[in-house]
Amino acid sequence: MKEIGEIKAAIAKFTGDSVYLTLKTRWENDLKQYYLEPYDGSKTYIGGSVSTKNRRGYIAYTSNMPRVFADKLISMISAARLIVRVPLDTLTEPERTTASNIERFCYGVINKNDAVFEATIQPTMRAQRAFYTAIRGSFASCAYIYKNEKGETFPMMSTWDIYNTAYA
């Protein structure tokens, strides 16, 4: 197991990487478009630098097209039929039974998580994943199993915004 200093150093290296910083800038701009931040027509972006050319005679407006497109995409992903599949091509008969049980377990975990999210007035897991997929292009997921005070075991899955996640 790594020490806390090693983990902090790895996170600092990751968050300082130029590829990550470029992605982070793109994610910020995509979110601004989704939330319809007003467009400033007096600025043009050329090769990453800002030019303040005078644009007299041109009307600047904020289009709602990015928001409408993203909402349609989120709706389609959320409404799509969920299929959990373990490839069975090279498995023996006992392994196929295990794989089928794993698929059923995944459906159960997803349904249980959605019930918990709905009880706490949060979007379902599929809705969260659809949002992050449409807006960020990806998402991170954390799966874990815990026991409560009564000794009952609960599998949980949470969806994380890739913007706030360090990975390697």
Side-chain angles (χ1 to χ4, degrees):
M1 180 150 282
K2 291 189 176 187
E3 297 294 323
I4 191 71
E6 294 173 316
I7 295 170
K8 285 183 176 181
I11 291 171
K13 180 181 176 189
F14 176 81
T15 56
D17 184 54
S18 63
V19 173
Y20 174 74
L21 294 173
T22 303
L23 277 174
K24 196 170 181 175
T25 302
R26 192 198 89 200
W27 293 332
E28 289 168 352
N29 290 334
D30 289 347
L31 195 62
K32 286 177 186 177
Q33 285 186 341
Y34 181 76
Y35 286 125
L36 303 177
E37 182 177 291
Y39 173 70
D40 182 5
S42 66
K43 297 178 184 176
T44 57
Y45 298 91
I46 302 169
S49 63
V50 178
S51 170
T52 55
K53 291 181 179 177
N54 190 349
R55 297 196 164 244
R56 284 187 215 150
Y58 291 95
I59 298 172
Y61 69 96
T62 301
S63 171
N64 70 341
M65 200 276 297
R67 175 77 179 249
V68 170
F69 180 75
D71 285 342
K72 285 180 182 179
L73 187 59
I74 291 166
S75 177
M76 286 189 286
I77 293 171
S78 296
R81 184 170 177 243
L82 177 66
I83 298 174
V84 177
R85 183 176 173 272
V86 176
L88 303 175
D89 302 342
T90 60
L91 302 179
T92 63
E93 191 56 40
E95 291 172 333
R96 288 181 182 197
T97 303
T98 302
S100 294
N101 289 335
I102 290 170
E103 290 172 355
R104 283 194 287 279
F105 174 76
C106 289
Y107 284 121
V109 169
I110 291 168
N111 290 336
K112 172 72 175 161
N113 280 308
D114 284 347
V116 170
F117 289 143
E118 288 173 357
T120 57
I121 313 172
Q122 293 182 29
T124 64
M125 188 170 63
R126 290 180 68 194
Q128 292 175 20
R129 291 179 175 196
F131 177 81
Y132 291 130
T133 300
I135 302 303
R136 302 285 196 214
S138 185
F139 61 87
S141 188
C142 177
Y144 55 95
I145 298 175
Y146 74 94
K147 283 190 176 185
N148 65 8
E149 299 82 27
K150 298 177 185 176
E152 299 169 326
T153 304
F154 288 97
M156 291 298 295
M157 293 175 73
S158 57
T159 304
W160 292 352
D161 186 354
I162 199 78
Y163 182 86
N164 299 313
T165 308
Y167 51 93

